[in-house]
Amino acid sequence: MAMTTSHMHLNSPMPRPFSHNCQSRGGFLQRPWFRAQPRTKTIRTVIIKASADVRKEDIVIVGAGIAGLATAVSLHRLGIGSVVLEQAESLRTSGTSLTLFKNGWRVLDSIGVAGSLRGQFLEIEGMAVNSEDGRVLRTFIFKDEDQTQEVRAVERRILLETLANELPPDTVRFSSKLANINSSQNGETLLELTDGTRVLAKIVIGCDGIRSPIAKWMGFSEPKYVGHCAFRGLGFYPDGQPFAANVNYIYGRGLRAGYVPVSPTKVYWFICYNSPSPGPKVTDPLLLRKQAKELVKNWPEELIRLIDLSPDETISKTPLVDRWLWPGLSPPASVGKVVLVGDAWHPMTPNLGQGACCALEDSVILTRKLAGAIKSGAASVEAALRAYGEERWPRVFPLTIRENLVGSLLQWDNQLVCSVRNNIVVPKLVRLGPVLEHTNFECEPPKA
C-alpha cells in the first residue's frame, strides 16, 4: 500500500442540545446555555492507493466492551452489519458486576436482550444506609419512590456474553489491537493493527474504554484521577447467600463500602477510600484481599466475610477517574466519520451507577442517528454523528459532574461533616426520588 502524508484542519463546532424520541426526562441542561465555539484539530491525513492487503469495511467498532457490543447489537437489529475489533484474545470478562437502573434496562429491552438477563439476576427492592459502627441511618424502598424503577446488579461477564451471542459469527475479531489511526482524503479511516493488518473503514465507532487511543487521536485529554480508589469483589456462597435484596451502604470518614446481592449465590461488594495518588498497580489477589480487609477491619463482620468468600480472580483495585466535557474546551464526540461511545467519550465515576447505563443509552441513540443516514452518503453520516453528540452532551456532561460531586461528598473525612451527614442529612433530608431522577429515560426499539 502506497501513501503520502498531508495535514487536514477540521473545524468542528461543539455540540448543542438536541431532542429525539429516545431521551432523558430527568436530564439536565434542557436548553442551550452556551454558544458553540469552533475547535481546530489537526488530523493526520493519508492518500491510500488500492491494495490487496487493505481490508475494507463499512462500519468498524473498536472495543468489545458493553458500549461496543451493545452498539453492534443495536445496528444488527436494523440489518446493519459491523465488525468489532477487540484487542484481547477473548471477551474481557474480568471485573465483577455492575448495577443497572431502569434506564439501562429500557435499552436492553429495546435491543431484545433484557429478558434472558432478568432471569439470572435478582431485582433489588431497596437501599439501606448504615454507619461504620453498624447503626442503620436510613432505609428506602425503590418502588415507593418510583413504581417504574428497576435495579439489578449484573455480572459483567454474563452481560458481555449475552450481547455477543446476539451477533452473527465472526462479528467480533479478537487479538486486534489498534496501533495507528489515520484519516484518508476521501473521508474514510485507516486503522492499522499491531499484527500488521490494515482496515479501511467508512465509519469508525470508538468504544475502546477509558484510555481510548481513538479519543486521544481526536484530541481528548486523559481522564483525571478524582482522589479516591476502589476495591471490588464478588463474594460466592455455594449454599446460598444470606442477604435481603437491598443495596447496602456503609459510610465512614474518608471511607465507604457497599454490597448488593447479584444472584442467589453471589454478592458484589466495593470499598472506596481516599488516596492522594492512585499508587502502584497491584494485581496479586492475596495482597489486594489483605489491603481491602485492613481498611474495614473494625467494620461490620458481614463485609469482612464477603471479602474472604471472594474468588481471587474477582478482586481488583482501580483508581477512579472521569473527564468533564467542558463546552468550547473539549473536542466534539465525532470528527468526520469517527465517533466515540461510552467511557471512550465520557468516563465517569461509579457513584450513581450510570457508567454502563449511559454507554447503553449512547448505543441506541447513535444507531437511530445512523440508520437513516447510512444510505444517504458521507455528508449525511457526518451530520448524523454530529447530531448524536449534540443530543448526548447535555445528558452526559452534567451527569459526569453529578457523579463526581456525590463521590466527593461521600468521601469527606472531616469528623463534624460526617456527623452532620450521619445524623441529619441522611436520616432526615435525603429523598430518593430526586436522587434517581437521572434514570428517567424513554427508549423504543431501534427502527430503520
Side-chain angles (χ1 to χ4, degrees):
M1 180 182 68
M3 64 177 69
T4 60
T5 302
S6 61
H7 287 86
M8 172 175 63
H9 295 276
L10 299 179
N11 293 313
S12 301
M14 284 300 300
R16 298 179 300 277
F18 190 90
S19 61
H20 197 268
N21 291 336
C22 235
Q23 61 186 359
S24 164
R25 291 189 287 109
F28 311 85
L29 302 184
Q30 297 300 315
R31 297 180 301 277
W33 57 276
F34 65 93
R35 182 176 300 277
Q37 298 293 331
R39 178 181 175 87
T40 301
K41 174 74 173 78
T42 301
I43 302 292
R44 185 170 181 262
T45 306
V46 296
I47 300 172
I48 301 170
K49 295 183 178 180
S51 175
D53 66 349
V54 178
R55 291 162 43 182
K56 294 187 176 183
E57 301 287 353
D58 289 334
I59 300 178
V60 173
I61 298 171
V62 180
I66 294 170
L69 293 177
T71 302
V73 172
S74 188
L75 289 167
H76 176 61
R77 291 288 184 256
L78 298 182
I80 301 172
S82 65
V83 170
V84 181
L85 303 181
E86 169 53 46
Q87 65 178 353
E89 296 178 357
S90 61
L91 289 178
R92 294 171 290 168
T93 54
S94 60
T96 51
S97 75
L98 49 96
T99 302
L100 294 179
F101 289 82
K102 68 178 181 180
N103 52 327
W105 287 104
R106 285 179 175 172
V107 173
L108 294 175
D109 274 322
S110 77
I111 61 176
V113 300
S116 62
L117 291 167
R118 285 191 176 98
Q120 301 179 68
F121 302 107
L122 300 175
E123 182 168 7
I124 305 305
E125 299 173 358
M127 183 171 73
V129 182
N130 308 278
S131 62
E132 61 189 280
D133 59 8
R135 180 164 53 101
V136 178
L137 303 178
R138 187 82 176 272
T139 59
F140 302 91
I141 303 298
F142 288 127
K143 299 292 189 185
D144 287 350
E145 302 290 335
D146 179 358
Q147 283 293 321
T148 66
Q149 188 59 258
E150 180 178 7
V151 185
R152 298 173 197 265
V154 175
E155 285 188 68
R156 182 181 299 273
R157 173 184 63 84
I158 294 178
L159 176 57
L160 292 179
E161 290 173 351
T162 299
L163 290 168
N165 287 339
E166 296 294 316
L167 297 170
D170 301 323
T171 296
V172 182
R173 300 178 184 176
F174 296 105
S175 301
S176 299
K177 184 177 182 180
L178 185 63
N180 198 17
I181 178 171
N182 290 295
S183 178
S184 70
Q185 287 191 332
N186 66 355
E188 296 181 338
T189 303
L190 179 67
L191 304 174
E192 300 180 59
L193 308 185
T194 54
D195 65 359
T197 301
R198 287 172 285 192
V199 181
L200 189 62
K202 294 180 180 178
I203 300 171
V204 173
I205 304 175
C207 303
D208 45 345
I210 290 174
R211 305 294 178 187
S212 165
I214 295 179
K216 183 177 180 180
W217 175 80
M218 292 171 62
F220 283 89
S221 62
E222 285 291 312
K224 183 180 178 181
Y225 175 60
V226 300
H228 31 276
C229 298
F231 286 95
R232 296 180 175 94
L234 194 65
F236 178 57
Y237 294 77
D239 297 323
Q241 51 89 4
F243 301 105
N246 292 319
V247 181
N248 298 275
Y249 292 113
I250 306 170
Y251 292 164
R253 292 175 53 191
L255 179 67
R256 59 192 159 109
Y259 57 91
V260 56
V262 176
S263 70
T265 59
K266 296 178 181 179
V267 180
Y268 164 72
W269 59 268
F270 75 87
I271 298 169
C272 191
Y273 67 98
N274 291 350
S275 177
S277 69
K281 183 176 181 179
V282 178
T283 58
D284 180 357
L286 295 178
L287 181 56
L288 291 172
R289 193 188 308 272
K290 178 181 178 181
Q291 291 176 343
K293 290 174 64 176
E294 183 65 25
L295 284 170
V296 294
K297 59 184 177 181
N298 297 317
W299 284 30
E301 180 62 30
E302 62 263 25
L303 182 58
I304 305 296
R305 179 162 173 75
L306 260 175
I307 300 171
D308 286 331
L309 291 174
S310 301
D312 288 350
E313 64 271 16
T314 72
I315 302 177
S316 65
K317 186 188 84 167
T318 53
L320 302 187
V321 301
D322 63 14
R323 180 192 292 129
W324 291 20
L325 302 174
W326 290 108
L329 298 178
S330 295
S334 65
V335 171
K337 289 180 285 185
V338 179
V339 66
L340 298 176
V341 171
D343 285 345
W345 182 27
H346 49 74
M348 57 183 68
T349 56
N351 299 298
L352 294 173
Q354 286 300 297
C357 291
C358 280
L360 290 170
E361 291 178 12
D362 286 351
S363 70
V364 293
I365 297 296
L366 178 60
T367 296
R368 286 181 179 277
K369 300 298 185 187
L370 277 176
I374 287 175
K375 299 177 182 179
S376 302
S380 294
V381 168
E382 292 189 22
L385 298 184
R386 288 194 299 271
Y388 153 79
E390 290 168 358
E391 177 169 343
R392 292 301 293 162
W393 180 87
R395 169 77 165 158
V396 299
F397 174 51
L399 191 50
T400 300
I401 295 176
R402 189 175 181 184
E403 293 249 29
N404 182 292
L405 294 179
V406 167
S408 297
L409 291 171
L410 293 178
Q411 291 297 134
W412 273 100
D413 58 6
N414 180 276
Q415 183 174 0
L416 176 59
V417 172
C418 291
S419 178
V420 171
R421 177 195 64 195
N422 290 358
N423 294 291
I424 298 175
V425 176
V426 173
K428 300 178 181 180
L429 300 181
V430 172
R431 293 178 56 219
L432 193 58
V435 171
L436 296 179
E437 186 182 17
H438 57 266
T439 65
N440 293 325
F441 181 79
E442 301 296 340
C443 191
E444 299 175 358
K447 298 177 182 178

